[in-house]
Amino acid sequence: MYDSTVVIGAQWGDEGKGKIVDFLAEKADVVVRFNGGNNAGHTIKANGETFKLHIIPSGVVRDKQVVIANGVVVDPKVLIDEIEMLRKMGYEPNLVLSANAHVIMHYHKIFDAKTDKTSKIGTTGRGIGPAYSDKAKRTEAIRMADFVGNAFDLRLSKILESKKHDLLRYGVITSAKNFDEYRQSLLGEYRKYADFIRPYVYDTTLIINQALDEGKNVLFEGAQGTLLDVDHGTYPYVTSSNTCAGGACTGAGVGPNRIAHVIGVTKAYTTRVGEGPFPTELKNDEGELLRKTGCEYGTTTGRPRRCGWLDLVILKYAKMVNGLTNLAITKLDVLSGLEKIKVCTSYEIGGKKTDLMPSSAEELENVKPVYLELDGWNKWSEQEATEIARRGIKALPEQAQAYLKFIESKSGVPISIVSIGAGRDETIIV
Ligand code: IMP
Ligand code: MG
Protein backbone atom coordinates (compact mmCIF):
# COMPACT_ATOMS: atom_id res chain seq x y z
CA MET A 1 0.00 0.00 0.00
CA TYR A 2 1.35 3.42 -0.91
CA ASP A 3 1.37 6.15 1.68
CA SER A 4 -0.77 8.64 -0.18
CA THR A 5 -3.85 10.73 0.50
CA VAL A 6 -5.98 12.86 -1.76
CA VAL A 7 -7.79 15.73 -0.06
CA ILE A 8 -10.66 17.19 -2.06
CA GLY A 9 -13.62 19.47 -1.43
CA ALA A 10 -16.95 17.65 -1.20
CA GLN A 11 -19.05 20.75 -1.94
CA TRP A 12 -18.51 23.91 -4.03
CA GLY A 13 -15.07 24.77 -2.74
CA ASP A 14 -13.95 26.76 0.32
CA GLU A 15 -14.57 23.78 2.59
CA GLY A 16 -11.39 24.53 4.54
CA LYS A 17 -9.06 22.21 2.65
CA GLY A 18 -6.12 24.50 3.43
CA LYS A 19 -6.42 23.89 7.14
CA ILE A 20 -6.92 20.13 6.73
CA VAL A 21 -3.97 19.84 4.35
CA ASP A 22 -1.81 21.89 6.70
CA PHE A 23 -2.80 19.53 9.50
CA LEU A 24 -2.06 16.37 7.51
CA ALA A 25 1.11 17.90 6.07
CA GLU A 26 2.81 17.48 9.41
CA LYS A 27 3.32 13.81 8.52
CA ALA A 28 3.74 14.30 4.77
CA ASP A 29 6.98 14.41 2.80
CA VAL A 30 5.53 15.86 -0.38
CA VAL A 31 2.44 18.02 -0.94
CA VAL A 32 1.08 18.30 -4.48
CA ARG A 33 -1.36 20.70 -6.16
CA PHE A 34 -2.89 18.93 -9.16
CA ASN A 35 -5.69 21.10 -10.56
CA GLY A 36 -6.96 24.63 -11.00
CA GLY A 37 -4.90 27.74 -10.58
CA ASN A 38 -5.00 30.90 -8.54
CA ASN A 39 -8.80 30.85 -8.58
CA ALA A 40 -8.23 28.87 -5.38
CA GLY A 41 -7.66 30.53 -2.05
CA HIS A 42 -6.43 28.57 0.92
CA THR A 43 -6.27 30.23 4.32
CA ILE A 44 -4.04 28.70 6.97
CA LYS A 45 -3.50 29.89 10.51
CA ALA A 46 -0.18 28.65 11.79
CA ASN A 47 2.80 29.80 13.84
CA GLY A 48 0.82 32.85 14.94
CA GLU A 49 0.34 34.02 11.37
CA THR A 50 -2.36 33.87 8.72
CA PHE A 51 -1.28 32.63 5.28
CA LYS A 52 -3.41 33.21 2.22
CA LEU A 53 -2.17 30.97 -0.57
CA HIS A 54 -3.54 30.74 -4.10
CA ILE A 55 -1.13 28.59 -6.04
CA ILE A 56 1.61 27.17 -3.82
CA PRO A 57 0.46 24.04 -1.92
CA SER A 58 -0.39 24.59 1.75
CA GLY A 59 2.41 22.22 2.81
CA VAL A 60 4.86 25.06 2.24
CA VAL A 61 4.03 26.42 5.69
CA ARG A 62 5.53 23.23 7.14
CA ASP A 63 8.66 23.47 5.00
CA LYS A 64 7.70 20.38 2.99
CA GLN A 65 8.63 19.60 -0.59
CA VAL A 66 5.77 21.20 -2.52
CA VAL A 67 4.85 20.39 -6.10
CA ILE A 68 2.74 22.20 -8.65
CA ALA A 69 1.89 19.38 -11.05
CA ASN A 70 0.96 19.21 -14.73
CA GLY A 71 -2.80 19.66 -14.22
CA VAL A 72 -2.41 23.17 -12.82
CA VAL A 73 -2.55 26.45 -14.74
CA VAL A 74 -0.04 28.96 -13.42
CA ASP A 75 -0.06 32.73 -13.55
CA PRO A 76 3.69 33.42 -13.31
CA LYS A 77 3.26 36.79 -11.67
CA VAL A 78 1.03 35.35 -8.95
CA LEU A 79 3.50 32.52 -8.36
CA ILE A 80 6.42 34.94 -8.07
CA ASP A 81 4.49 37.24 -5.73
CA GLU A 82 3.61 34.26 -3.54
CA ILE A 83 7.21 33.04 -3.40
CA GLU A 84 8.33 36.55 -2.46
CA MET A 85 5.62 36.92 0.16
CA LEU A 86 6.68 33.62 1.76
CA ARG A 87 10.33 34.69 1.70
CA LYS A 88 9.41 37.90 3.50
CA MET A 89 7.66 35.80 6.14
CA GLY A 90 10.79 33.69 6.54
CA TYR A 91 9.86 30.64 4.43
CA GLU A 92 11.95 29.51 1.48
CA PRO A 93 9.60 27.36 -0.63
CA ASN A 94 11.02 23.96 -1.49
CA LEU A 95 9.05 24.05 -4.73
CA VAL A 96 9.07 22.21 -8.03
CA LEU A 97 6.82 23.14 -10.93
CA SER A 98 5.81 20.81 -13.75
CA ALA A 99 7.27 21.48 -17.20
CA ASN A 100 3.84 20.42 -18.48
CA ALA A 101 1.80 22.88 -16.42
CA HIS A 102 0.19 25.58 -18.53
CA VAL A 103 0.84 29.30 -18.29
CA ILE A 104 -1.91 31.86 -17.71
CA MET A 105 -1.11 34.90 -19.85
CA HIS A 106 -2.27 38.49 -19.53
CA TYR A 107 -4.83 38.09 -22.35
CA HIS A 108 -6.41 35.07 -20.64
CA LYS A 109 -7.36 37.28 -17.72
CA ILE A 110 -8.88 39.94 -19.99
CA PHE A 111 -10.81 37.32 -21.99
CA ASP A 112 -12.09 35.78 -18.74
CA ALA A 113 -13.38 39.06 -17.34
CA LYS A 114 -14.99 40.11 -20.64
CA THR A 115 -16.66 36.80 -21.51
CA ASP A 116 -18.00 36.27 -18.01
CA LYS A 117 -20.05 39.45 -18.39
CA THR A 118 -22.18 37.60 -20.94
CA SER A 119 -21.83 33.96 -19.92
CA LYS A 120 -22.57 34.74 -16.23
CA ILE A 121 -20.82 31.86 -14.56
CA GLY A 122 -19.41 34.24 -12.00
CA THR A 123 -15.77 33.22 -12.55
CA THR A 124 -12.97 34.52 -10.39
CA GLY A 125 -11.66 36.44 -13.43
CA ARG A 126 -8.18 34.97 -13.07
CA GLY A 127 -7.93 33.65 -16.64
CA ILE A 128 -8.46 30.03 -15.60
CA GLY A 129 -11.11 29.11 -18.19
CA PRO A 130 -9.32 30.71 -21.18
CA ALA A 131 -6.01 29.06 -20.20
CA TYR A 132 -7.63 25.61 -20.00
CA SER A 133 -9.46 26.32 -23.28
CA ASP A 134 -6.11 26.94 -24.95
CA LYS A 135 -4.76 23.74 -23.39
CA ALA A 136 -7.62 21.72 -24.91
CA LYS A 137 -7.30 23.58 -28.21
CA ARG A 138 -3.58 22.65 -28.33
CA THR A 139 -2.40 25.19 -30.89
CA GLU A 140 -2.32 28.35 -28.75
CA ALA A 141 -1.13 27.10 -25.38
CA ILE A 142 2.12 27.79 -23.55
CA ARG A 143 3.47 25.12 -21.25
CA MET A 144 6.12 25.83 -18.62
CA ALA A 145 8.71 24.04 -20.77
CA ASP A 146 7.92 26.42 -23.67
CA PHE A 147 7.81 29.36 -21.33
CA VAL A 148 11.28 28.91 -19.87
CA GLY A 149 12.75 27.54 -23.13
CA ASN A 150 14.58 29.27 -25.97
CA ALA A 151 11.66 29.41 -28.38
CA PHE A 152 9.32 31.38 -26.14
CA ASP A 153 9.53 34.64 -28.13
CA LEU A 154 8.74 32.93 -31.38
CA ARG A 155 5.93 30.89 -29.90
CA LEU A 156 4.28 33.85 -28.21
CA SER A 157 4.49 35.92 -31.40
CA LYS A 158 2.79 33.16 -33.39
CA ILE A 159 0.08 32.75 -30.76
CA LEU A 160 -0.59 36.47 -30.67
CA GLU A 161 -0.97 36.47 -34.47
CA SER A 162 -3.67 33.84 -34.27
CA LYS A 163 -5.33 35.61 -31.35
CA LYS A 164 -5.31 39.00 -33.07
CA HIS A 165 -9.02 38.88 -33.80
CA ASP A 166 -9.92 38.22 -30.16
CA LEU A 167 -7.39 40.76 -28.90
CA LEU A 168 -9.16 43.41 -31.01
CA ARG A 169 -12.62 42.16 -30.16
CA TYR A 170 -12.03 42.27 -26.41
CA GLY A 171 -10.23 45.60 -26.57
CA VAL A 172 -6.80 44.32 -25.51
CA ILE A 173 -5.42 46.09 -28.59
CA THR A 174 -6.93 48.70 -30.87
CA SER A 175 -4.76 48.80 -33.99
CA ALA A 176 -1.78 47.27 -35.84
CA LYS A 177 0.64 49.63 -34.08
CA ASN A 178 -0.94 48.82 -30.80
CA PHE A 179 -0.60 45.09 -31.57
CA ASP A 180 3.14 45.42 -31.91
CA GLU A 181 3.41 47.46 -28.72
CA TYR A 182 1.36 44.81 -26.89
CA ARG A 183 3.57 42.02 -28.24
CA GLN A 184 6.73 43.83 -27.16
CA SER A 185 5.45 44.66 -23.71
CA LEU A 186 4.24 41.08 -23.13
CA LEU A 187 7.58 39.68 -24.25
CA GLY A 188 9.47 42.04 -21.97
CA GLU A 189 7.28 41.31 -18.98
CA TYR A 190 7.02 37.54 -19.36
CA ARG A 191 10.73 37.04 -20.15
CA LYS A 192 11.46 38.44 -16.70
CA TYR A 193 8.98 36.05 -15.13
CA ALA A 194 10.50 33.14 -17.06
CA ASP A 195 13.97 33.95 -15.71
CA PHE A 196 12.66 33.87 -12.18
CA ILE A 197 10.71 30.64 -12.63
CA ARG A 198 13.22 28.60 -14.70
CA PRO A 199 15.05 27.02 -11.72
CA TYR A 200 11.80 25.60 -10.37
CA VAL A 201 10.75 23.72 -13.54
CA TYR A 202 11.09 19.91 -13.40
CA ASP A 203 9.52 16.64 -14.49
CA THR A 204 7.21 16.50 -11.49
CA THR A 205 5.52 13.26 -12.57
CA LEU A 206 8.81 11.48 -12.01
CA ILE A 207 9.45 13.23 -8.70
CA ILE A 208 6.01 12.28 -7.32
CA ASN A 209 6.18 8.66 -8.48
CA GLN A 210 9.70 8.23 -7.13
CA ALA A 211 8.56 9.59 -3.79
CA LEU A 212 5.77 6.98 -3.74
CA ASP A 213 8.24 4.24 -4.71
CA GLU A 214 10.42 5.22 -1.77
CA GLY A 215 7.46 4.87 0.60
CA LYS A 216 7.26 8.59 1.24
CA ASN A 217 4.02 10.16 2.39
CA VAL A 218 2.48 12.10 -0.49
CA LEU A 219 -0.46 14.41 0.03
CA PHE A 220 -2.51 15.59 -2.93
CA GLU A 221 -4.15 18.93 -2.23
CA GLY A 222 -7.31 19.52 -4.25
CA ALA A 223 -8.60 22.95 -5.17
CA GLN A 224 -12.25 24.00 -5.48
CA GLY A 225 -14.80 21.24 -4.83
CA THR A 226 -16.65 18.26 -6.30
CA LEU A 227 -19.59 20.28 -7.60
CA LEU A 228 -17.23 22.62 -9.47
CA ASP A 229 -15.69 19.70 -11.41
CA VAL A 230 -15.93 20.31 -15.15
CA ASP A 231 -17.23 16.74 -15.68
CA HIS A 232 -19.08 15.94 -12.47
CA GLY A 233 -20.18 19.34 -11.15
CA THR A 234 -23.14 21.59 -11.79
CA TYR A 235 -22.11 22.27 -15.39
CA PRO A 236 -21.87 24.92 -16.80
CA TYR A 237 -21.55 26.59 -13.38
CA VAL A 238 -18.22 24.90 -12.72
CA THR A 239 -14.53 25.58 -13.03
CA SER A 240 -12.48 24.29 -15.98
CA SER A 241 -10.58 21.46 -14.31
CA ASN A 242 -11.22 18.12 -12.61
CA THR A 243 -11.60 18.92 -8.95
CA CYS A 244 -12.62 15.35 -8.03
CA ALA A 245 -10.22 12.77 -6.61
CA GLY A 246 -9.56 11.32 -10.07
CA GLY A 247 -8.10 14.70 -11.00
CA ALA A 248 -5.17 13.87 -8.73
CA CYS A 249 -4.26 10.96 -11.03
CA THR A 250 -4.45 12.86 -14.31
CA GLY A 251 -3.27 16.14 -12.85
CA ALA A 252 -0.19 14.67 -11.18
CA GLY A 253 0.53 11.66 -13.37
CA VAL A 254 -0.04 8.89 -10.82
CA GLY A 255 -1.98 5.67 -11.32
CA PRO A 256 -5.29 5.24 -9.44
CA ASN A 257 -3.84 2.19 -7.66
CA ARG A 258 -1.29 4.44 -5.97
CA ILE A 259 -3.91 6.41 -4.05
CA ALA A 260 -4.52 4.95 -0.59
CA HIS A 261 -6.97 7.38 1.01
CA VAL A 262 -9.44 9.95 -0.25
CA ILE A 263 -10.56 12.52 2.30
CA GLY A 264 -13.59 14.62 1.43
CA VAL A 265 -13.66 17.94 3.22
CA THR A 266 -17.09 19.37 3.95
CA LYS A 267 -18.27 22.28 6.00
CA ALA A 268 -20.89 21.58 8.66
CA TYR A 269 -23.13 23.70 6.41
CA THR A 270 -22.83 24.72 2.75
CA THR A 271 -21.47 27.70 0.84
CA ARG A 272 -21.02 28.62 -2.79
CA VAL A 273 -19.51 31.61 -4.63
CA GLY A 274 -20.49 32.51 -8.15
CA GLU A 275 -23.62 31.56 -10.02
CA GLY A 276 -25.49 28.27 -10.31
CA PRO A 277 -28.00 26.11 -8.43
CA PHE A 278 -27.77 25.75 -4.65
CA PRO A 279 -30.81 23.91 -3.21
CA THR A 280 -30.24 24.62 0.50
CA GLU A 281 -29.30 28.28 0.07
CA LEU A 282 -30.72 30.56 2.78
CA LYS A 283 -31.61 33.93 1.33
CA ASN A 284 -32.67 35.27 4.72
CA ASP A 285 -31.35 36.30 8.14
CA GLU A 286 -30.24 32.74 8.88
CA GLY A 287 -28.01 32.81 5.79
CA GLU A 288 -26.66 36.21 6.82
CA LEU A 289 -25.91 34.85 10.28
CA LEU A 290 -23.92 31.93 8.83
CA ARG A 291 -22.03 34.35 6.56
CA LYS A 292 -21.15 36.67 9.45
CA THR A 293 -20.28 33.95 11.96
CA GLY A 294 -18.34 31.90 9.43
CA CYS A 295 -16.61 34.96 7.81
CA GLU A 296 -17.90 33.67 4.50
CA TYR A 297 -16.19 36.01 2.06
CA GLY A 298 -14.02 34.72 -0.79
CA THR A 299 -10.27 34.47 -0.14
CA THR A 300 -9.57 35.23 -3.79
CA THR A 301 -12.22 37.77 -4.79
CA GLY A 302 -13.65 38.94 -1.46
CA ARG A 303 -17.16 38.19 -2.75
CA PRO A 304 -19.75 37.32 -0.09
CA ARG A 305 -20.37 33.57 -0.21
CA ARG A 306 -23.90 32.24 -0.55
CA CYS A 307 -24.70 30.23 2.59
CA GLY A 308 -27.13 27.43 3.45
CA TRP A 309 -27.70 24.21 5.39
CA LEU A 310 -25.73 21.03 4.95
CA ASP A 311 -26.93 18.95 1.99
CA LEU A 312 -26.55 15.19 2.40
CA VAL A 313 -27.66 14.48 -1.18
CA ILE A 314 -24.53 16.33 -2.28
CA LEU A 315 -22.37 14.55 0.28
CA LYS A 316 -23.52 11.12 -0.89
CA TYR A 317 -22.86 12.15 -4.47
CA ALA A 318 -19.38 13.32 -3.47
CA LYS A 319 -18.79 9.95 -1.83
CA MET A 320 -19.67 8.22 -5.08
CA VAL A 321 -17.69 10.26 -7.59
CA ASN A 322 -14.59 10.56 -5.40
CA GLY A 323 -14.61 7.18 -3.68
CA LEU A 324 -14.34 8.95 -0.31
CA THR A 325 -12.73 6.85 2.39
CA ASN A 326 -13.03 9.50 5.11
CA LEU A 327 -14.67 12.80 5.88
CA ALA A 328 -13.22 15.92 7.43
CA ILE A 329 -15.94 18.18 8.84
CA THR A 330 -14.95 21.83 9.13
CA LYS A 331 -16.40 24.90 10.80
CA LEU A 332 -18.58 22.98 13.23
CA ASP A 333 -18.12 25.94 15.60
CA VAL A 334 -20.05 28.21 13.22
CA LEU A 335 -23.27 26.31 13.98
CA SER A 336 -22.77 26.67 17.73
CA GLY A 337 -25.39 28.78 19.46
CA LEU A 338 -28.19 27.97 17.01
CA GLU A 339 -31.31 26.56 18.63
CA LYS A 340 -32.15 24.24 15.74
CA ILE A 341 -30.04 23.02 12.84
CA LYS A 342 -31.51 21.80 9.59
CA VAL A 343 -29.99 19.16 7.34
CA CYS A 344 -31.21 18.36 3.85
CA THR A 345 -31.73 14.61 3.59
CA SER A 346 -33.42 14.36 0.20
CA TYR A 347 -34.93 16.38 -2.64
CA GLU A 348 -38.50 16.57 -3.80
CA ILE A 349 -38.75 16.63 -7.58
CA GLY A 350 -42.23 16.80 -9.13
CA GLY A 351 -43.84 15.47 -5.94
CA LYS A 352 -41.40 12.55 -5.65
CA LYS A 353 -38.63 12.21 -3.05
CA THR A 354 -35.13 11.20 -4.04
CA ASP A 355 -31.70 11.19 -2.45
CA LEU A 356 -29.96 11.01 -5.82
CA MET A 357 -28.32 14.01 -7.40
CA PRO A 358 -30.12 15.16 -10.57
CA SER A 359 -27.86 15.04 -13.61
CA SER A 360 -28.35 18.61 -14.81
CA ALA A 361 -28.02 22.06 -13.28
CA GLU A 362 -31.52 22.93 -14.56
CA GLU A 363 -33.04 20.04 -12.64
CA LEU A 364 -31.05 20.86 -9.53
CA GLU A 365 -32.32 24.43 -9.76
CA ASN A 366 -35.88 23.14 -9.40
CA VAL A 367 -35.60 20.64 -6.54
CA LYS A 368 -37.21 21.28 -3.17
CA PRO A 369 -34.91 20.30 -0.31
CA VAL A 370 -36.45 18.08 2.37
CA TYR A 371 -35.07 18.91 5.81
CA LEU A 372 -34.67 17.19 9.11
CA GLU A 373 -34.32 19.41 12.15
CA LEU A 374 -31.76 18.60 14.82
CA ASP A 375 -31.09 20.23 18.19
CA GLY A 376 -28.37 22.84 18.43
CA TRP A 377 -25.75 23.30 21.14
CA ASN A 378 -24.08 26.12 23.06
CA LYS A 379 -21.04 28.04 21.87
CA TRP A 380 -17.57 27.13 23.07
CA SER A 381 -14.72 29.57 23.57
CA GLU A 382 -11.35 29.32 21.81
CA GLN A 383 -9.84 27.97 25.02
CA GLU A 384 -12.61 25.39 25.37
CA ALA A 385 -12.09 24.39 21.72
CA THR A 386 -8.44 23.55 22.40
CA GLU A 387 -9.52 21.53 25.42
CA ILE A 388 -12.20 19.68 23.43
CA ALA A 389 -9.67 18.96 20.68
CA ARG A 390 -7.30 17.51 23.25
CA ARG A 391 -9.94 15.31 24.88
CA GLY A 392 -11.57 14.15 21.65
CA ILE A 393 -15.01 13.92 20.15
CA LYS A 394 -16.67 12.79 23.41
CA ALA A 395 -15.89 16.21 24.88
CA LEU A 396 -18.18 17.91 22.36
CA PRO A 397 -21.70 18.87 23.47
CA GLU A 398 -24.03 15.88 23.13
CA GLN A 399 -26.06 17.51 20.36
CA ALA A 400 -22.92 18.24 18.32
CA GLN A 401 -21.94 14.59 18.63
CA ALA A 402 -25.44 13.62 17.48
CA TYR A 403 -25.09 15.95 14.49
CA LEU A 404 -21.81 14.32 13.46
CA LYS A 405 -23.21 10.81 13.96
CA PHE A 406 -26.15 11.73 11.76
CA ILE A 407 -23.85 12.92 8.96
CA GLU A 408 -21.78 9.79 9.25
CA SER A 409 -24.71 7.39 9.18
CA LYS A 410 -26.51 9.15 6.31
CA SER A 411 -23.43 9.61 4.13
CA GLY A 412 -21.94 6.23 4.93
CA VAL A 413 -18.47 7.75 5.24
CA PRO A 414 -16.55 7.67 8.54
CA ILE A 415 -15.55 11.06 9.93
CA SER A 416 -11.86 11.18 10.76
CA ILE A 417 -11.26 14.89 11.39
CA VAL A 418 -13.48 17.59 12.89
CA SER A 419 -12.41 21.20 12.85
CA ILE A 420 -13.96 23.30 15.61
CA GLY A 421 -12.03 26.55 15.14
CA ALA A 422 -9.52 28.11 12.76
CA GLY A 423 -6.34 27.30 14.69
CA ARG A 424 -4.21 24.17 14.28
CA ASP A 425 -4.99 23.02 17.82
CA GLU A 426 -8.73 23.40 17.34
CA THR A 427 -8.91 20.12 15.45
CA ILE A 428 -10.33 16.81 16.67
CA ILE A 429 -8.87 13.59 15.34
CA VAL A 430 -11.35 10.78 15.56
P1 IMP B 1 -13.24 30.03 -12.45
O1 IMP B 1 -12.62 28.84 -11.81
O2 IMP B 1 -12.56 31.32 -12.08
O3 IMP B 1 -13.40 29.86 -13.93
O4 IMP B 1 -14.72 30.17 -11.86
C1 IMP B 1 -15.74 29.23 -12.14
C2 IMP B 1 -16.65 29.03 -10.93
O5 IMP B 1 -15.92 28.35 -9.93
C3 IMP B 1 -17.15 30.31 -10.28
O6 IMP B 1 -18.44 30.09 -9.75
C4 IMP B 1 -16.18 30.55 -9.14
O7 IMP B 1 -16.73 31.31 -8.12
C5 IMP B 1 -15.93 29.12 -8.72
N1 IMP B 1 -14.62 28.93 -8.08
C6 IMP B 1 -13.41 28.85 -8.67
N2 IMP B 1 -12.44 28.64 -7.77
C7 IMP B 1 -13.04 28.58 -6.58
C8 IMP B 1 -12.55 28.32 -5.25
O8 IMP B 1 -11.37 28.11 -5.00
N3 IMP B 1 -13.49 28.31 -4.27
C9 IMP B 1 -14.81 28.48 -4.52
N4 IMP B 1 -15.31 28.72 -5.75
C10 IMP B 1 -14.43 28.75 -6.76
MG1 MG C 1 -11.15 28.90 -1.12
Side-chain angles (χ1 to χ4, degrees), residues 13-15 17 39-42 299-300 305:
D14 306 313
E15 297 91 350
K17 295 177 292 294
N39 46 353
H42 291 167
T299 313
T300 301
R305 294 179 185 142

Side-chain angles (χ1 to χ4, degrees), residues 171-354:
V172 184
I173 57 165
T174 48
S175 63
K177 179 172 170 287
N178 198 222
F179 175 78
D180 207 51
E181 277 169 16
Y182 182 65
R183 193 174 62 87
Q184 287 305 337
S185 81
L186 267 197
L187 279 171
E189 184 184 351
Y190 280 78
R191 260 192 225 123
K192 270 191 235 151
Y193 299 154
D195 289 341
F196 188 106
I197 284 174
R198 193 167 294 112
Y200 294 100
V201 178
Y202 284 89
D203 178 349
T204 57
T205 304
L206 195 61
I207 292 173
I208 296 164
N209 280 284
Q210 278 174 347
L212 288 167
D213 289 340
E214 290 163 14
K216 288 191 175 153
N217 180 297
V218 182
L219 195 56
F220 297 90
E221 170 177 344
Q224 292 86 41
T226 300
L227 293 183
L228 288 174
D229 186 287
V230 67
D231 286 288
H232 304 290
T234 47
Y235 193 89
Y237 303 101
V238 293
T239 190
S240 304
S241 67
N242 286 113
T243 59
C244 283
C249 296
T250 50
V254 297
N257 58 338
R258 310 197 107 192
I259 306 293
H261 312 280
V262 182
I263 299 183
V265 186
T266 174
K267 272 179 193 163
Y269 49 99
T270 312
T271 65
R272 157 161 223 180
V273 256
E275 301 304 314
F278 179 178
T280 62
E281 181 172 15
L282 292 164
K283 294 179 182 167
N284 56 15
D285 290 351
E286 283 175 311
E288 190 52 41
L289 186 68
L290 287 177
R291 180 156 42 246
K292 281 229 175 80
T293 320
C295 303
E296 296 296 354
Y297 299 89
T299 313
T300 301
T301 57
R303 289 181 287 179
R305 294 179 185 142
R306 300 157 64 193
C307 298
W309 299 118
L310 183 66
D311 186 335
L312 293 172
V313 179
I314 288 174
L315 203 53
K316 276 168 100 165
Y317 178 72
K319 176 198 178 187
M320 176 173 78
V321 293
N322 295 296
L324 299 183
T325 59
N326 300 85
L327 281 178
I329 311 280
T330 58
K331 294 193 139 180
L332 187 66
D333 51 307
V334 174
L335 296 182
S336 300
L338 296 176
E339 203 154 314
K340 293 281 177 191
I341 295 165
K342 285 187 185 171
V343 193
C344 168
T345 52
S346 60
Y347 295 151
E348 213 181 278
I349 308 176
K352 281 196 187 127
K353 265 196 196 174
T354 177

Side-chain angles (χ1 to χ4, degrees), residues 31-37 40 42 54-57 67-69 72 221 223:
V31 185
V32 184
R33 266 287 302 267
F34 59 83
N35 79 297
H42 291 167
H54 297 285
I55 187 73
I56 298 183
V67 181
I68 297 175
V72 180
E221 170 177 344

